Amino acid sequence: MIVPDHQYLDTLMPTSPESRAIAKLAWEAAWERLGNALRPPEGYPEPTPEELAQCYWNAQSRLDEVRVAFNVQPPQ
């Protein structure tokens, strides 16, 4: 999976109430998926290393989208 470049991502999403809501929901879903991969609930299979990495990079990407949607600048 390719992690988006921060400068490119900054041009993709305008900061609007709708984009903030979408970014927040996507982050919450990715966070829950990562949590389930790190500690599978009873009855869930253990993730493969590839699935765990995919969950991590998806969560990282969604967190970057939240940063952009809320106009939070990365540290210099």
Side-chain angles (χ1 to χ4, degrees):
M1 173 176 232
I2 298 172
V3 179
D5 177 52
H6 292 288
Q7 292 174 346
Y8 174 72
L9 186 62
D10 290 342
T11 65
L12 293 178
M13 190 183 307
T15 56
S16 69
E18 293 82 12
S19 68
R20 290 182 199 124
I22 291 168
K24 186 174 179 241
L25 286 172
W27 158 245
E28 289 171 354
W31 177 249
E32 183 173 349
R33 185 174 175 206
L34 178 60
N36 286 340
L38 292 171
R39 283 197 180 166
E42 190 173 323
Y44 276 52
E46 290 289 325
T48 65
E50 293 81 16
E51 290 170 332
L52 186 58
Q54 182 181 19
C55 289
Y56 170 81
W57 289 112
N58 183 48
Q60 178 65 51
S61 177
R62 300 300 163 241
L63 187 58
D64 284 339
E65 289 175 5
V66 169
R67 179 188 61 76
V68 171
F70 284 87
N71 201 27
V72 175
Q73 299 301 313
Q76 297 296 330

